[in-house]
Each structure stands twice: as C-alpha cells, then as structure tokens.
Amino acid sequence: MFELFTGKNKSMLGIDISSAAVKLLELSETSQGTYCLEAYGFEPLPEGAVVESKVQEPEIVGGAIEKALKRSRSGLKKAAIAVSGAAVITKMIEMNASLSDNEMESQITVEADQYIPYPLDEVAIDFEVQSLNPKNPELADVLLAACRRENIEACEEALAIAGLEAQVVDVESFVMERAYGLIEEPLQSDGKEPVVAIIDMGALTTSFYVIDKGHIIYSREQPFGGQQLTDEIQHHYDMEMQEAESAKKSGQLPEDYESQVLVPFVESAVQQISRSLQFFYSSSQYSDIGALLLAGGGASIKGLAETLEEQLQIKTTVVNPLSTMKIARKVNKKQLDQDAPALMIACGLAMRSFD
C-alpha cells in the first residue's frame, strides 16, 4: 500500500507543484491550536516542465524545488505533495467493520482488480475507513484511492533531486477541503455556514469545488487559466512570453490594455465560472451558492472578483489562507501577500504535519 492518506510524522513541508510554479510552505502549531508560517518559498517553472498536472521534466522541477527550499531557509527534509484529482480513481466500498487495518489491506490487495481498471503493478493504492455504514453497522464505509505509479514516481524523483523525501502523497481535492478550514469561520453568519464554491484558477486549469458543511460535494476541472491572459498580452503587443508575464504582474502595459485585453479575458472567465455553476446546479439538488471564493494565481487578476459578484449576484472574495497565522520574521511578507491566494494547496499539504 502507498501512503496516500496515512503518514503522520511531524514537520513536513507542503509542496504544491503546479504547471507554472513550485510553492513551498513550512507550518508550526502554537499552543492555542493556531498556525505559524515558519518558511515560504516560490519558484516559477518553465513551460512544459509540468503538463496536465504531471511532472514531465523531473530535473527542471527538482531544480526549482531546490531553489524554493534554499530561498525559504527551511531545514526540513520530509514533504507532503499532491496529485490531481483527475489522476486518481476513488471508490467507496463496504467492508466488515471488525477487520483490522492489516486485514482490510490484505483483502483490498486481493480484490483491488474489481475496482481499478489498470494493471495493479502500475498503480499505487491506499484506503481510509470513513465511518460505519448507516444501514448496517456491521459494515464500514471505506474510501479506496488509486493512482498510476508513474505520476507519483516523477514527483518523488523531483523531490530527491532537491534532497527531499515524499512522506505523504495526497489528493488535491482532499487537500483543498482541509485548507478550507483556515477560511471557513469568517463565512459563518448566525451560526450557519453557507454552501460555497471555491474557484482555484491556475495557469492552465481552473478547478471548481463546492463545499457544504466543510466537505467537498462536487468538483470539476476546466482547461482555462491565467496563462490565457498572458497569451493575449503576448499576441496583442507582440511581446516575448517572459516579457508578457512580467508586464502582467507589474501592470506596466499600454493604456488600452484594460479595454482591449483585460476586460475581454475577465468576461470570458466569468462565463467559464458561470458554466461550472450551471453544471453543478443541473447535476444536484442544490439551486443556490452562498459565496464564491477565488483562489490560485489567477484570483488576483484585476476586476475578476468584482465582475463575478456583479454579474452572478453572489458575494465573491479573494482568499487568504494565511490571514489568521503568525508569520516568522525570515519570511518575505511583501512577496507572501502577493502569492497568498495561490497557497491553499501548499497550506493544506503542510497541515498534514498535524493530522
């Protein structure tokens, strides 16, 4: 069995490897049960190093992790990483509740080919007991997860190049659910927590999650992200890719940028998010979302939150999972403030140290 859910060693780095950058966090826990950000590192990745959430160039990614680690000045050597939900098969199965973990593992190993459409020697498998079956307390509901080994091994190779070891491999949707605990309290009103949607806009992909009572009840990925805005800048102003990305971040663009490039991109993003909402409504018994939370590198794009709130008539907020944390002196707070919305996955991974 691969430790997809388990692994409770203290003090692990949370490392989010996306298509655009490596984000690295170290957290500690205070006596009051709150968190302190001890170390933080960020390093951009060149195009093609990670494609469709899969590490294609371990040496390049490993070098970026090494730079981010050096910049963070963390001394930790164990890490928690995540694989995309699209790369993971999950299935809820029923098992005899009296079985021990070892007995469940043996039984799952024998029966796994019933649930997984890949050769078993090509996949990493893990399970976690969720609860007793409400219809039959002699049975336990067990969550089974499987992922192709090649996806995990490429990440492990990149970590090894940076002198690190993967202690835990998690699933992005589970990580996002855990990180949501950092921001859910301010959303509560009169003791009630609204159903919320988290829009995690990365460079190439936007993940759409719906959370009710602290648990993800729906998720969807769309091939749309902040890279498309960079592409539009590049083509409209005849720039090199790096020049366009730098100009986007600094805001140093011609006067017609907003009307000719930014506003059309924002309108397109709103349409994509609205479409995800409609897919959710049509496939569930829900008909209302109480709040939209913007995360990821694209969350801070000028005008996106305001336009979403205006057109969809749903309160929209750019998330900051670090807002209640103490920040260590060695952390670059200016850089951290800029990157905060993109750190939900890294935070959720670092929180595995305290499971």
Side-chain angles (χ1 to χ4, degrees):
M1 288 284 169
F2 193 85
E3 292 195 341
L4 192 62
F5 297 115
T6 53
K8 300 181 179 179
N9 288 28
K10 293 289 184 180
S11 301
M12 291 183 291
L13 290 165
I15 302 181
D16 178 17
I17 304 171
S18 70
S19 60
V22 168
K23 287 144 283 187
L24 176 152
L25 285 178
E26 177 188 343
L27 299 180
S28 64
E29 195 172 27
T30 70
S31 57
Q32 291 78 34
T34 57
Y35 297 109
C36 176
L37 179 65
E38 298 288 353
Y40 161 68
F42 175 98
E43 184 65 29
L45 287 170
E47 186 176 0
V50 177
V51 178
E52 295 182 351
S53 302
K54 299 176 183 177
V55 173
Q56 301 293 327
E57 301 287 349
E59 289 189 5
I60 293 174
V61 175
I65 295 172
E66 190 173 21
K67 289 180 182 177
L69 182 62
K70 186 176 181 180
R71 191 172 290 119
S72 75
R73 290 184 282 172
S74 172
L76 298 184
K77 295 299 180 184
K78 305 286 187 179
I81 56 174
V83 290
S84 167
V88 180
I89 297 170
T90 58
K91 186 175 179 64
M92 196 69 73
I93 61 176
E94 296 176 349
M95 302 191 72
N96 190 319
S98 65
L99 295 176
S100 67
D101 283 353
N102 287 337
E103 289 170 333
M104 284 189 179
E105 180 177 329
S106 297
Q107 185 171 327
I108 287 172
T109 301
V110 171
E111 300 176 357
D113 58 352
Q114 298 179 38
Y115 316 112
I116 300 165
Y118 304 124
L120 294 185
D121 59 353
E122 295 180 7
V123 296
I125 306 171
D126 203 358
F127 70 95
E128 185 175 75
V129 178
Q130 301 296 289
S131 61
L132 292 177
N133 189 295
K135 295 181 180 179
N136 184 351
E138 293 185 359
L139 297 176
D141 290 333
V142 178
L143 179 62
L144 178 68
C147 177
R148 282 188 175 277
R149 286 189 179 275
E150 61 187 28
N151 295 342
I152 296 170
E153 289 169 353
C155 291
E156 291 181 319
E157 182 181 348
L159 288 175
I161 289 169
L164 300 175
E165 178 186 349
Q167 183 72 28
V168 167
V169 181
D170 213 324
V171 182
E172 282 187 359
S173 57
F174 301 158
V175 176
M176 183 62 77
E177 185 177 288
R178 188 181 308 112
Y180 174 70
L182 297 170
I183 58 176
E184 66 178 319
E185 189 172 335
L187 299 172
Q188 297 177 354
S189 177
D190 299 325
K192 296 181 179 180
E193 185 178 331
V195 178
V196 305
I198 298 179
I199 295 97
D200 185 13
M201 184 182 288
L204 301 175
T205 304
T206 295
S207 297
F208 178 87
Y209 304 98
V210 179
I211 296 184
D212 187 14
K213 298 181 179 64
H215 297 288
I216 290 177
I217 58 171
Y218 178 88
S219 64
R220 181 173 185 264
E221 287 189 2
Q222 291 175 279
F224 179 88
Q227 181 63 42
Q228 289 180 236
L229 178 56
T230 305
D231 292 342
E232 289 299 321
I233 293 171
Q234 180 187 11
H235 296 145
H236 193 80
Y237 298 111
D238 194 24
M239 293 180 173
E240 295 293 330
M241 180 62 72
Q242 287 298 111
E243 183 185 5
E245 182 66 27
S246 178
K248 182 179 77 171
K249 290 182 177 179
S250 66
Q252 295 179 348
L253 285 155
E255 290 184 4
D256 67 347
Y257 163 64
E258 288 196 16
S259 62
Q260 296 297 310
V261 180
L262 179 61
V263 170
F265 172 83
V266 169
E267 292 288 345
S268 179
V270 171
Q271 289 179 9
Q272 294 284 344
I273 293 166
S274 176
R275 191 172 295 126
S276 289
L277 277 170
Q278 295 309 314
F279 271 116
F280 167 65
Y281 292 145
S282 65
S283 63
S284 72
Q285 75 273 26
Y286 294 81
S287 59
D288 182 56
I289 292 289
L292 291 177
L293 305 178
L294 286 181
S300 301
I301 291 173
K302 184 179 179 181
L304 179 57
E306 295 81 1
T307 306
L308 274 170
E309 185 163 318
E310 179 183 349
Q311 294 194 13
L312 302 184
Q313 294 295 293
I314 303 174
K315 180 176 174 57
T316 304
T317 306
V318 177
V319 303
N320 181 357
L322 311 169
S323 60
T324 61
M325 295 186 191
K326 293 183 178 180
I327 309 297
R329 290 183 180 180
K330 68 180 180 180
V331 174
N332 183 334
K333 292 184 180 180
K334 184 178 179 181
Q335 182 67 45
L336 186 67
D337 289 342
Q338 293 178 2
D339 296 331
L343 299 178
M344 287 285 283
I345 296 296
C347 281
L349 287 168
M351 289 166 70
R352 283 297 299 264
S353 296
F354 316 107
D355 279 354

